[in-house]
Amino acid sequence: MKRSYVISAVACSLAAAGMAGSPAQAREANEIYAPIFAQYKSITDARKKLRNKEKKDQPMSGDEYFAMAAACSYEEAPSQSIILTALSRSKCKDLVSDYYLEAGRRGTPEGFLAAAKMEANAHDSFGFAQLAYQLSGEDGALRDQALELMSDLQPRVSNPALANQQSMQISQQLVAGGRYASLRNPAGTQELANIAPRLDWLNFANPKRCTWSEQAITVIGGSYGFDDKLNYPTVPAKVRVPGFDRPITSRIVRPGGRTSNEIDVYVDFKGRWNGLTVLGLRYSFLEESDGYQATGIRFSEPVKTVAARLGASGFVVNVDGSTREQVAKRDSYGNIDGVTTSVTSKNGETLFLCDEVFYASYGEL
């Protein structure tokens, strides 16, 4: 029988059999289900056999339930055989959220967060995210993700205090039952108010082509000015950044020295984008020349994390962040159309550069 999604119903299932959990460590979803899938012939094989284990009431860990949820949401590409395609189709898609919740109840707090992201009801989603936060153990990354989701949901939750109370009761029972080693108090209004804003306006029109959004182009274009009365005419400017109440004044840096015509324009603001912490933008060019341009986003996370996240989001990047030049088109005249990207550590930050490049046979355009 299908389990209810609502948070109050979670408490009713706490007595279900399962293995005790351990304090959580920061894990991506694939780090949880990949070791489980590796024990089976395929994802569909894992789905079938894990569901058989559940039906027979055999002991299952939270990670196994998390893997079962992922397997139930998976669909193989259609084959030439209509019969084989029908046989391989997932018949448990409506149970994915339930399995994620069961993963949470059995010591895998990432399950609560996964269920929160799927849940349409804002109250229940908020409560599930609160459970992930309270039971995150030493996993600071999980706590941050739960806080971010709760911050986004809070305006749509009519009674956050009730959701907090319900989640606290459930988490206390899970700790008392040995599923978790410890819990923390629910995240309060002040903690959620301190969460940096989401920067959806940074979403690229086409990640593979480094096609920036119109709003991002507007911010970059307004981030500097010129004063023809000066020997070095590029000057800072005040620019409106979506989501921030006041204009932000840019910084102009000349990395080659005061008399250099190489310009780095920094726009400093903090927010969340694509699961990463944004510290601002950087735009580089040669003063009074079109020969060089580089457009980038600055992050607080390390190069490896940023490169992995961007790669998973459709950007053309190398896993180690090294410079990558991807040629999309080359004609018989030697003209090149492509992109260039890099993810590097700069001044204690991680800089992601993403630009379209066009080279003509007679030189750079």
Side-chain angles (χ1 to χ4, degrees), residues 37 43-44 46-47 50 66-75 90 92:
F37 290 161
I43 297 176
T44 52
R47 180 171 65 210
L50 287 171
F66 193 98
M68 189 159 61
C72 284
S73 64
Y74 170 78
E75 289 281 14
S90 173
C92 52

Side-chain angles (χ1 to χ4, degrees), residues 6-71:
V6 295
I7 188 169
S8 57
V10 177
C12 299
S13 303
L14 294 179
M19 300 172 66
S22 58
Q25 300 298 319
R27 296 186 294 174
E28 295 289 339
N30 66 316
E31 294 179 284
I32 301 173
Y33 58 67
I36 306 297
F37 290 161
Q39 301 171 34
Y40 300 92
K41 296 177 183 178
S42 64
I43 297 176
T44 52
D45 182 53
R47 180 171 65 210
K48 177 182 177 181
K49 291 178 179 175
L50 287 171
R51 294 198 72 204
N52 282 338
K53 285 183 70 173
E54 183 203 26
K55 290 174 183 177
K56 295 177 181 179
D57 273 339
Q58 295 177 354
M60 290 178 63
S61 68
D63 283 10
E64 285 181 304
Y65 265 95
F66 193 98
M68 189 159 61

Side-chain angles (χ1 to χ4, degrees), residues 349-364:
E349 303 175 344
T350 295
L351 174 64
F352 167 54
L353 295 177
C354 193
D355 290 279
E356 291 184 276
V357 291
F358 304 96
Y359 293 98
S361 57
Y362 54 85
E364 184 178 348

Side-chain angles (χ1 to χ4, degrees), residues 96-120:
V96 171
S97 185
D98 292 341
Y99 289 151
Y100 278 133
L101 288 176
E102 191 63 28
R105 287 192 286 266
R106 294 178 182 239
T108 301
E110 296 90 347
F112 285 130
L113 185 62
K117 291 178 179 178
M118 292 186 66
E119 177 55 54

Side-chain angles (χ1 to χ4, degrees), residues 175-232:
V175 171
R179 303 294 177 85
Y180 290 90
S182 62
L183 62 87
R184 64 186 63 248
N185 290 328
T189 302
Q190 188 58 48
E191 287 174 283
L192 298 180
N194 291 333
I195 297 299
R198 285 181 58 176
L199 306 175
D200 290 344
W201 57 270
L202 274 176
N203 291 342
F204 281 54
N206 186 346
K208 289 184 178 180
R209 290 289 304 164
C210 286
T211 307
W212 291 67
S213 69
E214 290 186 9
Q215 287 178 295
I217 292 171
T218 299
V219 171
I220 293 166
S223 64
Y224 60 96
F226 296 101
D227 188 339
D228 293 333
K229 298 177 182 178
L230 301 175
N231 289 332
Y232 312 108

